[in-house]
Amino acid sequence: ETTLIGSLTVREYLYYSALLQLPGFFCQKKSVVEEAIQAMSLGDYANKLIGGHCYMKGLARGERRRVSIARELVMRPRILFIDEPLYHLDSVSALLMMVTLKKLASTGCTLIFTIYQSSTEVFGLFDRICLLSNGNTLFFGETLACLQHFSNAGFPCPIMQSPSDHFLRAINTDFDRIIAMCKNWQDDNGDFSSVNMDTAVAIRTLEATYKSSADAAAVETMMLRLTEKEGPLLKSKGKASNATRIAVLTWRSLLIMSREWKYYWLRLILYMILTLCIGTVFSGLGHSLSSVVKRVAAIFVFVSFTSLLSIAGVPALLKEVKIYASEESNQHSGALVFLFGQLLSSIPFLFLVSISSSLVFYFLIGLRDGFSLLMYFVLNFFMCLFVNEGLLLAVTSLWQNIFWSILTLVTIHVVMMLSAGYLRIRNELPRPMWKYPLSYIAFHTYSIQALHSAYDISQSSNSKWENLLVLFLMAIGYRILVFVLLHFHVRKNVSLHRIWQCRKSTT
């Protein structure tokens, strides 16, 4: 799976990748990025958005594949392994990809990749091929020598047939099912020799022929010579520092937030609409003692519904987790680096949401005048959103699936709302579960208690600062949980994916 950031241009994406991977000065990294763009023939697309979303058109699939390869070229590797570079590409894009890779190989970089089917033009660009069937080597050598090898084994390539198609037909056991389907079917000429080829017999014959051929002996000799020869000591090129990586990820996330209008700016608009709805419903309450209870209801609805509305950001968080998994598998990032970058980049957005929504809500429901009280209300709401963002990230990191993440978050929010102490007084909640521990875990609880203390209802004058401290500790706790999930759960999935890829390549 190609994981790219659609809201960045090709040059921006490669530049941020270089900043995450390479040490040294910025000017040096820019030159490396430009070299990678030219090597993958992306000069005409360098300033275009990568895209890939239904609401953000961008590069075609072939160009996106070349961008993913260019991301690895910024490290200037000596050997490049690519899994199915022509997957899902049309004939023109596949040929362009192969010509680009051929040009890259001429610079001294060794390219090794897997392929399941190719056109005649693409096949003609290969220097050497290795044919595998069920993990067994049927041929390994020069491309032109493969035709002679099949002919010597008794399976010459028919006239007017592509060599690559002939090779695939001879060594792919799935064609046996086609033989069964076509067993009683004949064309006008009655010539079905190519279809009636026994694949199992062909594989055994080709394998035996190869083992006794000069090509196999040459490969064995080359392997012995290479293993006996001591190669040069390769020194590490170094990596960017963690501080640099955190700064790069923070700035990149801020840039993505400014462009991803569907996931961020749309959420801000929805927050404002919801705030106006709640504020107008609870407006004109007066200043009687009974109005305090109504304002408590207003603050409960405000915090609960805005937190519930934050679930709309799950797709954006899920995409960030997938990008992290891709970068972590290539050692471009780490759990701690990603967590700090995501944390620092989310603070400005959450503060913008909290201050804009709080200003509208605070004056519409007629809370007490006073700059210090207003600022405390903004800070309290910001901490609620801060905690909720950590909760969203933890659940998303756990499931890594939109459906299960949203279902889990809705359930958690409903349970927290029930145990927050508004629908029923906290001391009257059943103790085994609802009061201990749910009422203490729900961050809604501390927003309501903060309103109580603002109206001097709380028994302690310092309770509002204690509530704020609890919210801060909850935010830190959720992010520690995210760190554990990213460090073990995501890394485990990446490892399983690598094992699956290795098993697939051997079969």
Side-chain angles (χ1 to χ4, degrees):
E1 181 182 359
T2 302
T3 304
L4 302 175
I5 303 176
S7 54
L8 299 179
T9 65
V10 173
R11 180 173 279 112
E12 289 172 343
Y13 178 73
L14 296 179
Y15 183 55
Y16 285 122
S17 298
L19 292 176
L20 288 173
Q21 299 178 67
L22 297 175
F25 299 101
F26 290 165
C27 58
Q28 297 174 341
K29 299 177 183 180
K30 283 186 177 181
S31 62
V32 171
V33 169
E34 295 301 324
E35 290 176 5
I37 290 175
Q38 295 302 321
M40 295 308 298
S41 303
L42 291 169
D44 296 336
Y45 309 96
N47 295 320
K48 292 185 178 180
L49 291 176
I50 296 176
H53 311 295
C54 58
Y55 62 90
M56 184 184 295
K57 294 183 179 180
L59 304 181
R61 182 170 289 168
E63 284 76 35
R64 289 169 57 84
R65 192 71 50 79
R66 281 186 280 156
V67 171
S68 65
I69 298 176
R71 178 184 61 183
E72 305 305 322
L73 290 182
V74 298
M75 287 294 289
R76 296 178 178 176
R78 293 177 174 86
I79 301 178
L80 194 61
F81 293 87
I82 312 175
D83 186 24
E84 300 183 59
L86 309 184
Y87 183 67
H88 277 177
L89 297 185
D90 58 77
S91 57
V92 177
S93 299
L95 182 59
L96 179 59
M97 171 68 78
M98 278 305 307
V99 171
T100 304
L101 295 178
K102 183 75 172 182
K103 183 179 67 173
L104 179 62
S106 64
T107 62
C109 179
T110 300
L111 300 180
I112 303 175
F113 53 86
T114 60
I115 189 172
Y116 290 91
Q117 190 172 12
S118 67
S119 63
T120 304
E121 293 85 356
V122 169
F123 183 77
L125 295 174
F126 297 156
D127 296 319
R128 291 174 175 267
I129 61 173
C130 178
L131 297 179
L132 298 174
S133 181
N134 296 325
N136 299 318
T137 303
L138 306 186
F139 178 79
F140 185 24
E142 299 289 340
T143 304
L144 296 178
C146 190
L147 288 171
Q148 187 62 40
H149 171 68
F150 270 71
S151 180
N152 295 338
F155 305 100
C157 181
I159 301 175
M160 304 299 292
Q161 185 174 1
S162 169
S164 60
D165 292 339
H166 176 65
F167 299 154
L168 177 67
R169 166 66 187 88
I171 67 176
N172 195 333
T173 56
D174 291 336
F175 277 95
D176 292 337
R177 290 180 295 179
I178 301 178
I179 295 175
M181 294 173 58
C182 301
K183 188 174 182 180
N184 299 322
W185 181 55
Q186 294 183 352
D187 62 355
D188 297 336
N189 299 324
D191 184 10
F192 272 88
S193 57
S194 61
V195 177
N196 291 327
M197 182 189 303
D198 192 336
T199 305
V201 174
I203 292 175
R204 290 196 300 267
T205 306
L206 288 168
E207 183 180 3
T209 304
Y210 172 72
K211 288 181 178 180
S212 61
S213 66
D215 291 319
V219 170
E220 292 291 337
T221 303
M222 182 182 296
M223 290 172 59
L224 290 175
R225 188 177 70 251
L226 291 175
T227 52
E228 292 175 355
K229 181 181 179 181
E230 184 177 354
L233 180 63
L234 300 180
K235 296 182 179 180
S236 175
K237 300 177 182 178
K239 297 180 179 179
S241 64
N242 286 335
T244 301
R245 290 182 174 185
I246 292 174
V248 171
L249 287 179
T250 302
W251 182 254
R252 189 181 71 176
S253 298
L254 287 172
L255 183 61
I256 294 173
M257 287 182 183
S258 64
R259 294 179 180 176
E260 291 275 1
W261 64 270
K262 186 176 182 180
Y263 293 147
Y264 292 99
W265 297 114
L266 184 59
R267 285 172 61 187
L268 179 60
I269 295 174
L270 293 176
Y271 276 127
M272 293 302 299
I273 294 176
L274 179 61
T275 301
L276 288 172
C277 292
I278 299 174
T280 51
V281 167
F282 287 92
S283 61
L285 296 178
H287 296 282
S288 62
L289 185 60
S290 61
S291 66
V292 176
V293 179
K294 297 178 182 178
R295 286 185 172 88
V296 173
I299 195 68
F300 173 77
V301 172
F302 176 67
V303 173
S304 301
F305 283 23
T306 51
S307 301
L308 194 61
L309 193 62
S310 299
I311 298 178
V314 167
L317 293 176
L318 181 61
K319 186 167 65 174
E320 288 189 27
V321 173
K322 287 186 176 181
I323 292 172
Y324 157 75
S326 175
E327 293 179 340
E328 197 276 338
S329 64
N330 292 297
Q331 299 182 355
H332 300 172
S333 179
L336 189 63
V337 172
F338 167 78
L339 189 60
F340 272 102
Q342 198 278 337
L343 174 67
L344 296 176
S345 61
S346 63
I347 288 177
F349 171 75
L350 295 178
F351 185 75
L352 177 63
V353 169
S354 58
I355 194 170
S356 58
S357 302
S358 298
L359 287 174
V360 175
F361 177 80
Y362 194 89
F363 293 106
L364 277 178
I365 67 171
L367 291 176
R368 287 170 54 182
D369 294 334
F371 182 77
S372 61
L373 293 175
L374 174 60
M375 288 298 99
Y376 177 82
F377 184 87
V378 173
L379 185 60
N380 181 269
F381 182 53
F382 168 78
M383 291 305 303
C384 290
L385 294 180
F386 198 42
V387 173
N388 187 55
E389 197 77 6
L391 174 62
L392 264 63
L393 188 58
V395 173
T396 305
S397 302
L398 176 63
W399 289 115
Q400 299 180 42
N401 178 275
I402 293 181
F403 173 78
W404 289 110
S405 297
I406 292 178
L407 183 63
T408 303
L409 286 168
V410 170
T411 304
I412 291 175
H413 276 82
V414 170
V415 171
M416 285 184 174
M417 291 165 62
L418 290 174
S419 59
Y422 170 73
L423 299 176
R424 189 175 183 186
I425 298 176
R426 192 179 194 183
N427 292 329
E428 295 181 358
L429 289 172
R431 293 189 175 184
M433 177 179 176
W434 291 101
K435 184 176 182 181
Y436 304 107
L438 290 181
S439 65
Y440 289 89
I441 295 176
F443 60 89
H444 309 69
T445 304
Y446 305 97
S447 62
I448 299 175
Q449 288 184 344
L451 186 69
H452 286 184
S453 60
Y455 279 87
D456 298 327
I457 298 176
S458 178
Q459 297 178 357
S460 174
S461 59
N462 295 322
S463 63
K464 65 178 184 179
W465 302 111
E466 295 174 358
N467 294 330
L468 207 60
L469 178 61
V470 171
L471 290 175
F472 176 76
L473 294 177
M474 291 177 67
I476 299 300
Y478 277 125
R479 277 156 180 82
I480 293 175
L481 177 61
V482 171
F483 173 78
V484 174
L485 291 173
L486 291 177
H487 189 70
F488 293 102
H489 185 68
V490 175
R491 178 171 293 184
K492 179 181 177 182
N493 289 345
V494 171
S495 300
L496 291 175
H497 178 71
R498 288 174 179 170
I499 295 173
W500 178 83
Q501 289 286 356
C502 292
R503 289 179 176 175
K504 187 179 77 168
S505 63
T506 57
T507 56

